[in-house]
Amino acid sequence: MMDDTGGVQMARALKHAALSLMLLPRFLLAAVMLWLLDFLCIRKKVLLKMGERQDGSDDPPVCVSDSNKMFTLESLRAVWYGQKLDFLKSAHLGHAAPNTEVVLVQERRQVRILDRMKGKRPLILNFGSCSCPPFMTRLAAFQRVVSQYADIADFLVVYIEEAHPSDGWVSSDAPFQIPKHRCLEDRLRAAQLMLSEVPGGNVVVDNMDNSSNAAYGAYFERLYIVRDERVVYQGGRGPEGYRISELRNWLEQYRNDLVNSQTAVLHV
């Protein structure tokens, strides 16, 4: 029995070591970038370049105040955690979408994420938290997309663990200072703050096992589109890969395809 236990522990240790080796190059690159961003002259140049590549209306540029420290133990932990989730996620483009457990904010009732789908309409999943400046900055743009495409798609905001908790990697640019969620009630309270920003929005929270965050590799923020229970769009990891403009482009193309298919049927 002890030999079996020892074998399991050895297998886990080897798996963890292999994972660490695979993630290490990307993590070190991110760590160096964070260190460089603590030099304000470099930070301003990098943010300026990033702003030039963004769509101003849908993807306003990321702002990082001079007072924010980028290279800290907490920031390195957060980056490592996000990269690990991304590497181990089960959601992949063209594959079945994970049907994870979430909690309805208003009713406080557990449901499955794919329960929010309506027939063959695409379901847009927007993962984020109130302490994430890029997510909150683009929330208004997301709501505009919701209003413009509500006739052809459904939208769901999934509140995950805080990107910049007040007792972790703190960001003075976050509109709310929220500590790490210790229980589901903490997460529900934080989601209520988001609902105050988008009244009437469709918001659920991840469970305290963070199963949706892990399955979709969503930390810090991320966009997905699910149709016929399969992932048809997988946005990049935030903040760099989080683009409302890509979501709008996908939906516009989807609308055009619907119109063309209906026209073809009429002609037949």
Side-chain angles (χ1 to χ4, degrees), residues 61-81:
V62 176
C63 295
V64 182
S65 299
D66 293 351
S67 59
N68 284 321
K69 280 291 190 183
M70 305 296 287
F71 187 76
T72 67
L73 181 59
E74 290 295 342
S75 72
L76 295 176
R77 284 175 176 165
V79 168
W80 177 263
Y81 177 63

Side-chain angles (χ1 to χ4, degrees), residues 103-105 108 128-131 159-163 165-167 176-195 203-208 210:
V103 179
L104 300 172
V105 174
R108 302 195 172 209
S129 63
C130 279
S131 64
Y159 202 108
I160 58 174
E161 54 194 304
E162 298 297 335
S166 57
D167 51 353
F176 300 98
Q177 295 298 321
I178 303 170
K180 295 173 184 175
H181 310 146
R182 307 297 179 188
C183 60
L184 183 62
E185 190 63 33
D186 289 348
R187 188 161 292 174
L188 287 166
R189 275 197 298 268
Q192 288 287 356
L193 293 174
M194 183 176 290
L195 273 174
V203 182
V204 298
V205 303
D206 197 4
N207 60 25
M208 292 309 294
N210 299 311

Side-chain angles (χ1 to χ4, degrees), residues 122-126 142 153-156 223-226 247 251:
L123 175 65
I124 285 74
L125 302 175
N126 189 12
F142 178 74
D154 299 299
F155 298 81
L156 187 66
L223 287 162
Y224 278 86
I225 302 177
V226 177
L247 172 62
L251 287 167

Side-chain angles (χ1 to χ4, degrees), residues 36-265:
L36 289 173
L37 287 174
D38 270 343
F39 295 92
L40 295 184
C41 57
I42 296 176
R43 181 183 300 185
K44 289 175 180 177
K45 288 181 180 178
V46 170
L47 293 177
L48 182 62
K49 285 290 185 184
M50 288 177 62
E52 290 173 353
R53 295 197 299 266
Q54 302 288 357
D55 182 310
S57 57
D58 284 335
D59 301 316
V62 176
C63 295
V64 182
S65 299
D66 293 351
S67 59
N68 284 321
K69 280 291 190 183
M70 305 296 287
F71 187 76
T72 67
L73 181 59
E74 290 295 342
S75 72
L76 295 176
R77 284 175 176 165
V79 168
W80 177 263
Y81 177 63
Q83 291 184 350
K84 184 176 73 171
L85 287 186
D86 181 48
F87 186 82
L88 296 175
K89 68 182 181 297
S90 54
H92 296 282
L93 188 63
H95 292 78
N99 195 14
T100 49
E101 184 183 89
V102 291
V103 179
L104 300 172
V105 174
Q106 303 288 19
E107 296 92 333
R108 302 195 172 209
R109 177 168 55 87
Q110 292 182 352
V111 295
R112 292 283 174 176
I113 205 164
L114 298 185
D115 292 346
R116 313 313 292 170
M117 299 193 72
K118 298 176 182 176
K120 292 187 173 295
R121 286 162 60 94
L123 175 65
I124 285 74
L125 302 175
N126 189 12
F127 294 88
S129 63
C130 279
S131 64
C132 183
F135 177 83
M136 295 301 289
T137 300
R138 295 172 187 177
L139 196 54
F142 178 74
Q143 286 303 109
R144 289 195 297 271
V145 171
V146 172
S147 299
Q148 292 167 11
Y149 296 95
D151 59 323
I152 60 169
D154 299 299
F155 298 81
L156 187 66
V157 174
V158 184
Y159 202 108
I160 58 174
E161 54 194 304
E162 298 297 335
H164 293 280
S166 57
D167 51 353
W169 184 14
V170 180
S171 170
S172 62
D173 298 310
F176 300 98
Q177 295 298 321
I178 303 170
K180 295 173 184 175
H181 310 146
R182 307 297 179 188
C183 60
L184 183 62
E185 190 63 33
D186 289 348
R187 188 161 292 174
L188 287 166
R189 275 197 298 268
Q192 288 287 356
L193 293 174
M194 183 176 290
L195 273 174
S196 69
E197 297 289 311
V198 286
N202 197 6
V203 182
V204 298
V205 303
D206 197 4
N207 60 25
M208 292 309 294
D209 291 332
N210 299 311
S211 57
S212 296
N213 190 15
Y216 286 88
Y219 191 80
F220 302 98
E221 69 268 43
R222 200 164 199 166
L223 287 162
Y224 278 86
I225 302 177
V226 177
R227 186 165 180 254
D228 294 329
E229 299 189 356
R230 304 185 78 80
V231 176
V232 295
Y233 168 82
Q234 178 178 274
R237 286 185 61 236
E240 299 89 352
Y242 182 74
R243 299 180 185 275
I244 303 298
S245 56
E246 288 187 359
L247 172 62
R248 180 188 294 279
N249 292 340
W250 191 97
L251 287 167
E252 190 60 32
Q253 183 61 53
Y254 178 70
R255 171 171 278 165
N256 291 338
D257 291 343
L258 283 179
V259 170
N260 292 337
S261 63
Q262 290 168 358
T263 302
V265 170

